[in-house]
Amino acid sequence: MKVFCGRANPTTGSVEWLEEDEHYDYHQEIARSSYADMLHDKDRNIKYYQGIRAAVSRMKARGQKALVLDIGTGTGLLSMMAVTAGADFCYAIEVFKPMADAAVKIVEKNGFSDKIKIINKHSTEVTVGPDGDMPCRANILITELFDTELIGEGALPSYEHAHRHLVQENCEAVPHRATVYAQLVESRRMWSWNRLFPVHVQTIHGEQVIVPPSELERCPGAPSVYDIQLNQVSSTDFTVLSDVLPMFSVDFSKQVSSSAACHSRQFEPLASGRAQVVLSWWDIEMDPEGKIKCTMAPFWAQSDPEELQWRDHWMQCVYFLPQEEPVVQGSSLCLVAHHDDYCVWYSLQRTSPEKNGGVYPARPVCDCQAHLLWNRPRFGEINDQDRTDQYVQALRTMLKPDSVCLCVSDGSLLSLLAHHLGAEQVFTVESSAASHRLMKKIFKANHLEDKINIIEKRPELLTSADLEGKKVSLLLGEPFFTTSLLPWHNLYFWYVRTAVDQHLGPGAVVMPQAASLYAVVVEFRDLWRIRSPCGDCEGFDVHIMDDMIKRALDFRESKEAEPHPLWEYPCRSLSEPQHILTFDFRQLVPPHPLRAEGSINLRRPGRSHGAVLWMEYHLTPDSTVSTGLLKPAEDKVVLRGLLLLEPPLQAGCVLLHHTGLRSIAGWLPDCQLHCGVPPPHRRHHHGFHPG
């Protein structure tokens, strides 16, 4: 059955109604999942298998049947491991129906249907008794309910309920225990992902400084963890202020509580500095003795860095302290880890909370609007002084004393730059209430509330009255829009430029003047694993899972690109950067689709895992801001941008369509490339699903 789905197109700004399969959301969930990454995580799989064998052996040694409860079974892999290890029966719970259906087929194909029962329910809905889902309680509890933060997928309430209702007292648990670790650091780079720094602008009247509002300075920031591949952060980007501190542990073999709690660790700083960031990770011990351990520690905290296992489904955590604090080497402090049932946060205190009367800081919540409007990469972008200087240099060449500027970007500081550089009048359009409130605070903090006019409406709806009857001589955009995920989503600026054309005066200038889309074919060191078929996993046939992911990826949106912070994923270029299309913002959006065809020659052999695409914005003929390549393409490419990946990873070339990527078996000298952009009002979707 087909259904109509309405969604916003971030490129055109229009709402579109598209016909989708009734299981559309299921397919999206599967296509964007980490199932393949988990199945390729050999360290995880081996450690789980070892822990399960040991738990079953201990239960058998007591003369008891091994009855397993597997919560969040996914493919059924851990249950099949348990049966192979000698378990008498497994009750495997999976709430996601497509996954539960696949698990039934996988279990049957591997010959375990008589020993494994798949229960398609949430674990809190499972019943025990003669007429229940389970005839009796299990005595071995196996779970894989963890995310990068350990508890973010609801592990604590799930364990709490399982111990109360589904498993026997003193049961075996795999994993047996988890421990969360933390390390305090000073890092201007990471702190720039959380705070607005003063912005310096060189003008003919001297240096002007755009200062952040006091609300931003006091705001504790966003409550959510920032999970990254910490191994890709340069050691020169942070200063270690503490040893690695074990903050708290959870014993999964006993009753677990999901109640809020805090855990403090006293330490002496290793160096003086400004405490800003807590780096955190965890490990799980699969057995009571702690001999079978799976760790998420970054390389510098590993006992054997050569054994480091790459994984993307579990990474490391960056937490920002509510405020940066000065610390003195050797002067004792307390680092406090707080958690509720789903989230962790940290605070730094001079004395332990117990000695401080048990006063605990509340969970940080943004009250300044900035952390709601700007994500962490956006904070970093705004705080990039070199990038700001590029816009300042370009504006100097365009501004005149009588310039009337209209700035179109969400929460952008361009309007302040234009004012400080001498524009006669500046208007800025903020389409959301949050961005409107934030910009008002920034203007007030810089005494510009009467100098810059804020218009709260969608730019397509601007009227002459909004602009006080004036014609715009300089239309500005970074461009940046909060709805944009993929590079071409910011082409919304072009549609806006077309919509406001009636408000532009004769000879009006548009900045940026144009944008160019580029692509390069790459071989990834590790990231390919998230889309690579597994086939056989620890001796179990999981082809059915591979096929399900492949079918999900055949849906239109699943063929589209995926945004990735590519500085976290090392890769090697197989081609030169290829220019695909240029979009001339000085002209209106044409009524016909823009399309380009060509080929990419591969300059070295390798595995073409994907094509990276990015946009470059030409502010002036002599100034370009790139969102992709940070330096010329070499064997090792340093990139930020977006990625297209395809499940069948074969040696050869890639055929890239505007709807996705295809790998071609064998070796071809080049690959065909087709790209396009929709004309105005044409119903065309670029892969953004706000739901």
Side-chain angles (χ1 to χ4, degrees), residues 169-184:
E169 192 175 353
N170 300 318
C171 71
E172 295 285 346
V174 182
H176 180 83
R177 181 187 298 106
T179 301
V180 173
Y181 299 88
Q183 189 167 34
L184 188 67

Side-chain angles (χ1 to χ4, degrees), residues 606-627:
R607 292 181 177 270
S608 55
H609 291 143
V612 172
L613 293 96
W614 70 93
M615 204 74 85
E616 296 192 354
Y617 295 103
H618 311 297
L619 307 183
T620 69
D622 303 317
S623 178
T624 296
V625 172
S626 176
T627 64

Side-chain angles (χ1 to χ4, degrees), residues 67-301:
L67 302 177
V68 173
L69 174 64
D70 176 8
I71 300 179
T73 193
T75 59
L77 176 66
L78 302 184
S79 287
M80 293 189 292
M81 288 179 175
V83 172
T84 304
D88 294 278
F89 202 86
C90 291
Y91 299 94
I93 301 171
E94 176 56 53
V95 68
F96 186 43
K97 189 176 188 309
M99 196 68 251
D101 293 342
V104 170
K105 296 174 183 176
I106 291 170
V107 165
E108 181 179 5
K109 186 170 185 177
N110 285 275
F112 296 113
S113 293
D114 59 331
K115 292 291 187 75
I116 299 175
K117 178 183 179 182
I118 306 296
I119 303 171
N120 180 207
K121 288 185 176 182
H122 194 283
S123 63
T124 57
E125 299 171 346
V126 172
T127 57
V128 177
D131 299 320
D133 299 305
M134 301 166 54
C136 62
R137 291 183 178 226
N139 55 17
I140 299 178
L141 176 58
I142 300 173
T143 63
E144 208 281 54
L145 299 171
F146 314 118
D147 66 349
T148 294
E149 201 173 15
L150 183 69
I151 66 172
E153 291 184 1
L156 295 182
S158 295
Y159 271 109
E160 184 176 45
H161 177 271
H163 276 286
R164 286 179 179 170
H165 302 285
L166 303 178
V167 297
Q168 299 174 18
E169 192 175 353
N170 300 318
C171 71
E172 295 285 346
V174 182
H176 180 83
R177 181 187 298 106
T179 301
V180 173
Y181 299 88
Q183 189 167 34
L184 188 67
V185 303
E186 175 180 0
S187 173
R188 178 177 174 81
R189 181 188 179 191
M190 286 187 261
W191 194 240
S192 77
W193 301 337
N194 185 59
R195 283 291 189 271
L196 178 61
F197 294 169
V199 178
H200 299 267
V201 186
Q202 298 296 332
T203 74
I204 58 174
H205 303 296
E207 183 179 81
Q208 298 289 331
V209 181
I210 301 171
V211 298
S214 58
E215 293 97 323
L216 268 73
E217 297 281 275
R218 297 192 303 265
C219 181
S224 57
V225 64
Y226 191 21
D227 51 341
I228 66 171
Q229 294 283 356
L230 203 50
N231 291 311
Q232 297 307 314
V233 177
S234 171
S235 58
T236 61
D237 281 332
F238 62 92
T239 300
V240 170
L241 299 179
S242 78
D243 290 319
V244 176
L245 306 172
M247 297 306 301
F248 65 92
S249 295
V250 183
D251 186 337
F252 298 124
S253 69
K254 299 176 181 177
Q255 181 62 57
V256 172
S257 172
S258 62
S259 300
C262 78
H263 312 268
S264 64
R265 290 290 178 270
Q266 193 168 12
F267 72 99
E268 292 186 359
L270 301 176
S272 298
R274 301 196 67 79
Q276 298 167 325
V277 173
V278 175
L279 309 179
S280 183
W281 57 89
W282 49 264
D283 62 34
I284 46 178
E285 296 170 0
M286 301 297 182
D287 61 322
E289 296 79 23
K291 295 179 180 178
I292 309 169
K293 183 180 290 188
C294 184
T295 181
M296 306 307 120
F299 69 88
W300 66 85

Side-chain angles (χ1 to χ4, degrees), residues 451-574:
K451 306 290 186 182
I452 301 176
N453 302 71
I454 310 180
I455 305 167
E456 185 184 351
K457 62 168 53 176
R458 291 189 62 82
E460 304 97 310
L461 305 178
L462 278 178
T463 64
S464 179
D466 294 323
L467 300 172
E468 300 175 1
K470 297 184 177 180
K471 290 292 185 179
V472 173
S473 57
L474 179 55
L475 178 64
L476 300 174
E478 298 189 35
F480 169 82
F481 303 100
T482 55
T483 54
S484 299
L485 291 176
L486 307 178
W488 45 81
H489 288 170
N490 281 325
L491 289 178
Y492 174 57
F493 178 75
W494 200 10
Y495 290 85
V496 169
R497 178 262 179 272
T498 301
V500 302
D501 185 65
Q502 60 183 310
H503 303 300
L504 304 185
V509 177
V510 179
M511 190 190 92
Q513 295 181 353
S516 294
L517 180 66
Y518 282 84
V520 64
V521 178
V522 298
E523 177 180 35
F524 283 98
R525 191 177 71 190
D526 300 298
L527 189 59
W528 59 270
R529 302 174 197 274
I530 71 173
R531 287 292 174 269
S532 176
C534 187
D536 179 278
C537 184
E538 306 308 320
F540 302 100
D541 186 344
V542 294
H543 278 93
I544 290 170
M545 184 68 207
D546 295 336
D547 294 341
M548 185 170 76
I549 293 175
K550 187 176 186 305
R551 286 194 301 273
L553 286 165
D554 282 338
F555 274 66
R556 181 185 64 253
E557 283 200 359
S558 302
K559 294 177 182 177
E560 297 284 355
E562 293 181 22
H564 285 275
L566 290 182
W567 65 268
E568 297 182 49
Y569 305 104
C571 59
R572 184 173 73 103
S573 66
L574 301 183

Side-chain angles (χ1 to χ4, degrees), residues 368-535:
C368 73
Q369 306 296 320
H371 301 90
L372 305 178
L373 184 69
W374 299 331
N375 59 20
R376 270 60 181 264
R378 176 60 174 166
F379 265 102
E381 194 172 59
I382 292 174
N383 286 322
D384 184 342
Q385 186 65 49
D386 290 340
R387 179 178 179 274
T388 297
D389 291 343
Q390 280 189 271
Y391 282 93
V392 169
Q393 292 291 342
L395 279 169
R396 281 202 189 103
T397 66
M398 295 183 171
L399 280 171
K400 299 177 181 178
D402 60 350
S403 289
V404 176
C405 298
L406 174 62
C407 180
V408 181
S409 280
D410 292 342
S412 173
L413 302 185
L414 276 183
S415 57
L416 289 91
L417 301 184
H419 171 79
H420 284 310
L421 291 171
E424 180 180 276
Q425 190 160 7
V426 181
F427 298 91
T428 184
V429 180
E430 301 295 341
S431 56
S432 74
S435 61
H436 182 262
R437 287 193 294 267
L438 173 61
M439 296 312 295
K440 282 188 69 173
K441 292 176 183 178
I442 293 174
F443 293 161
K444 184 176 181 181
N446 290 276
H447 311 291
L448 298 176
E449 61 266 44
D450 297 327
K451 306 290 186 182
I452 301 176
N453 302 71
I454 310 180
I455 305 167
E456 185 184 351
K457 62 168 53 176
R458 291 189 62 82
E460 304 97 310
L461 305 178
L462 278 178
T463 64
S464 179
D466 294 323
L467 300 172
E468 300 175 1
K470 297 184 177 180
K471 290 292 185 179
V472 173
S473 57
L474 179 55
L475 178 64
L476 300 174
E478 298 189 35
F480 169 82
F481 303 100
T482 55
T483 54
S484 299
L485 291 176
L486 307 178
W488 45 81
H489 288 170
N490 281 325
L491 289 178
Y492 174 57
F493 178 75
W494 200 10
Y495 290 85
V496 169
R497 178 262 179 272
T498 301
V500 302
D501 185 65
Q502 60 183 310
H503 303 300
L504 304 185
V509 177
V510 179
M511 190 190 92
Q513 295 181 353
S516 294
L517 180 66
Y518 282 84
V520 64
V521 178
V522 298
E523 177 180 35
F524 283 98
R525 191 177 71 190
D526 300 298
L527 189 59
W528 59 270
R529 302 174 197 274
I530 71 173
R531 287 292 174 269
S532 176
C534 187

